[in-house]
Amino acid sequence: MKTKICILLTFLGAYLTAQENTTKILPAEIQIKTAVLPAPEADKEAAMVYGYDTTGNMVVLRQGSNNLICLADDPSKEGISVSCYSKKLEPFMKRGRELTAEGKNFKEKREIRGMEVAQGKIKMPNEPSMTYIYYGSEAGYNPDTGELADGQFRYVIYTPFATTESTGLPDKPHAKGMPWLMDPGTFRAHIMVGPFN
């Protein structure tokens, strides 16, 4: 009898631990409210929003009618990070999400997308395309209101194949918050701005 009770308590303990480690998915309206935090005020209401359903799968939480797509915070990752980007970047961003779901690492994703851009399978925008990012700690996040008290902004402007020569930008920042060009000369060339503190 004692053995059965010990086994039962062991299974119960394991079950409760598993329940504690289960990722909590916030209500869609809170995910949306947080997802649009980085967007300009005038664009928040009409932005399309991707978030997570109750099983943790990424889904469209809200259809949009403007030029922005916003991503809710990934509940499986530490901290809070949300972003909004130009619809012109969606083929590139979507492919990245697909490759992540396949278990590809950063290097593999970069190589595959680079090859697919070269083959014309992924179309990168011809003009600069904006991405807004807002991030902070879980301690500063209120899951009841969707607000992030300690958030910081970072801005990314994709300019495929731009170089330091064509932009006049350095390939590393000389001061906090200054613009600089990351991955110059490649399909992922982008101007980084921020964080500012």
Side-chain angles (χ1 to χ4, degrees):
M1 184 67 172
K2 284 183 181 178
T3 303
K4 286 182 180 178
I5 291 172
C6 285
I7 291 171
L8 182 61
L9 288 174
T10 301
F11 278 114
L12 182 61
Y15 173 78
L16 291 174
T17 300
Q19 293 303 305
E20 287 173 11
N21 292 334
T22 300
T23 303
K24 183 180 178 186
I25 307 297
L26 295 174
E29 62 272 15
I30 298 296
Q31 291 187 62
I32 291 169
K33 193 168 180 183
T34 306
V36 301
L37 285 175
E41 209 55 50
D43 296 326
K44 291 183 178 186
E45 285 293 322
M48 177 181 177
V49 179
Y50 282 109
Y52 297 86
D53 64 15
T54 53
T55 60
N57 291 316
M58 184 174 265
V59 295
V60 174
L61 294 180
R62 183 178 79 187
Q63 294 292 342
S65 58
N66 66 13
N67 187 43
L68 284 185
I69 295 174
C70 297
L71 302 180
D73 178 65
D74 183 342
S76 68
K77 293 184 179 175
E78 195 173 323
I80 304 296
S81 181
V82 290
S83 62
C84 298
Y85 56 84
S86 165
K87 280 186 177 176
K88 292 180 180 177
L89 288 166
E90 178 62 354
F92 171 72
M93 298 293 192
K94 181 181 177 188
R95 186 62 176 134
R97 292 192 295 269
E98 290 170 352
L99 293 170
T100 297
E102 291 173 17
K104 306 293 185 197
N105 62 33
F106 178 81
K107 185 172 182 284
E108 291 170 326
K109 287 193 294 184
R110 183 179 182 136
E111 288 173 357
I112 292 168
R113 285 196 288 186
M115 182 180 63
E116 291 178 351
V117 167
Q119 294 170 344
K121 292 180 180 176
I122 298 175
K123 174 148 177 43
M124 295 298 288
N126 295 321
E127 55 284 306
S129 297
M130 190 70 187
T131 298
Y132 306 88
I133 301 161
Y134 194 58
Y135 63 99
S137 71
E138 287 180 36
Y141 184 63
N142 185 334
D144 296 321
T145 65
E147 296 167 349
L148 182 58
D150 64 352
Q152 292 189 76
F153 286 99
R154 185 170 71 246
Y155 305 104
V156 177
I157 306 161
Y158 279 88
T159 55
F161 305 105
T163 64
T164 55
E165 293 78 14
S166 69
T167 61
L169 290 167
D171 61 2
K172 58 176 136 328
H174 300 150
K176 282 202 174 200
M178 75 164 287
W180 60 285
L181 188 64
M182 188 171 187
D183 297 326
T186 72
F187 73 99
R188 343 178 37 251
H190 53 282
I191 300 167
M192 299 281 289
V193 185
F196 303 96
N197 50 30

